Amino acid sequence: MKPLPGLTELRQGGKRALSRMLTRLETEAQTDEISAFLDHACANAMGRVLGLTGPPGVGKSTLTDALIRHFRATDLSVAVLAIDPSSQFTGGALLGDRTRLQTDPGDQDVFVRSMAARDRLGGLSDHAIAAIALLRSVVDRVIVESVGIGQSEGDLVQACDTLVLCIQPGSGDSLQFMKAGIMELPDVVAVTKADMGAAARRAASDVAGALSLSRETQSHWQVPVCEISARTGEGLDDLAEAIAKHGDFLEASGELQSQRAEQQRHWLRDMVRADFGTAGLAVVGEMLETDTGERPFSCFQGISKDLKRRLEDGQA
Ligand code: GDP
């Protein structure tokens, strides 16, 4: 097996190096070497991770396109991870080539990859989590785009620093999201297609109302509601500013570190649950409680080997 590249090499290696590394994360998953690499990446995260969710057709990919252009205009490198809910069934035909994203193929600082969702609802697979850990240690901004239909947002919130929920005018989405408890999750809300006029204004005020009912008042972050039109460009600067402000807020308050540590603990529990079920979780419960979230991937390797040994010995 070829030795793994270092992070500096990947940061300078352009899209092909990154693409190759992502493939290795999948084909060599759960080896000691890859796990140690991913933990090292976690400890050296340099970029911010932006989650973009909302129902199909709300305008996520159009917005992703606009955000890529915005970030590139300020010379930030960008990676997009599109979580494709269909690919398990169609081999990635729905979003596979991301033809809707109009990126410059020659630009080495824009990287786009789509990945299968864990299930039909758009949950994140272990591969997607590993990819996010890698990408945020190599590029300045990672955009994770995922279809949200009421259940996958919880998964996304465990993998990004700033979650943007997209809502479409005239859809009644905000009411539905409030019922499903989703309004508690976003850090920024984008009401898309603001060029639709009055319907967009109404949606924005509905969302503001729903937010005020569902959020804890003691939070230090006030969730901004931005009306945007990717078509006319209206509101895009405000949205980008709100996203940047949330990132600054996380860094300045120290929440970025604690939030990521908590997410990494969640990944570890999630990986154990996915492979060994709740019974496996119960066996290693105490071990997980003392975990600080610093080395989730290697820790999982250790736990996985231990549990497999116990299963073979008939102890678990
Ligand atoms: P996704 O499924 O959430 O990724 O949504 P898309 O980005 O593919 O957009 C769905 C449809 O909405 C497409 O037909 C877009 O052209 C349209 N759309 C996206 N953004 C806007 C906008 O700002 N204004 C209007 N009027 N239509 C938009």
Side-chain angles (χ1 to χ4, degrees), residues 159-242:
C160 61
D161 304 321
T162 299
L163 182 69
V164 179
L165 176 65
C166 300
I167 285 179
Q168 183 160 250
S171 59
D173 283 342
S174 54
L175 195 65
Q176 207 188 323
F177 286 148
M178 196 163 68
K179 279 194 202 148
I182 288 161
M183 277 305 184
E184 288 156 33
L185 302 178
D187 303 298
V188 176
V189 175
V191 174
T192 57
K193 310 185 187 181
D195 48 281
M196 286 169 72
R201 307 291 98 75
R202 225 173 10 252
S205 73
D206 284 355
V207 172
L211 282 169
S212 69
L213 291 173
S214 18
R215 306 289 291 207
E216 288 178 27
T217 43
Q218 69 263 38
S219 168
H220 296 295
W221 174 254
Q222 192 88 34
V223 179
V225 178
C226 304
E227 288 175 49
I228 57 154
S229 166
R231 191 161 285 177
T232 65
E234 178 190 342
L236 284 175
D237 286 345
D238 290 345
L239 176 66
E241 197 185 314

Side-chain angles (χ1 to χ4, degrees), residues 73 126 218 235 298:
D126 288 356
Q218 69 263 38
S298 304

Side-chain angles (χ1 to χ4, degrees), residues 55-62 100 145 193 195 229-231:
V58 69
K60 292 180 297 302
S61 21
T62 314
R100 285 179 296 172
E145 190 192 316
K193 310 185 187 181
D195 48 281
S229 166
R231 191 161 285 177

Side-chain angles (χ1 to χ4, degrees), residues 267-289:
W267 298 351
L268 173 57
R269 285 193 298 271
D270 205 43
M271 288 188 277
V272 174
R273 194 185 296 113
D275 278 16
F276 300 98
T278 39
L281 268 184
V283 174
V284 292
E286 217 169 286
M287 216 150 131
L288 292 174
E289 266 165 41

Side-chain angles (χ1 to χ4, degrees), residues 44-75:
N44 291 280
M46 62 169 226
R48 292 178 176 180
V49 185
L50 177 68
L52 215 59
T53 188
V58 69
K60 292 180 297 302
S61 21
T62 314
L63 177 58
T64 299
D65 211 21
L67 285 174
I68 293 173
R69 266 181 274 125
H70 173 86
F71 290 139
R72 291 302 295 131
T74 47
D75 213 23

Side-chain angles (χ1 to χ4, degrees), residues 69-85:
R69 266 181 274 125
H70 173 86
F71 290 139
R72 291 302 295 131
T74 47
D75 213 23
L76 293 165
S77 55
V78 188
V80 177
L81 194 63
I83 307 299
D84 183 345

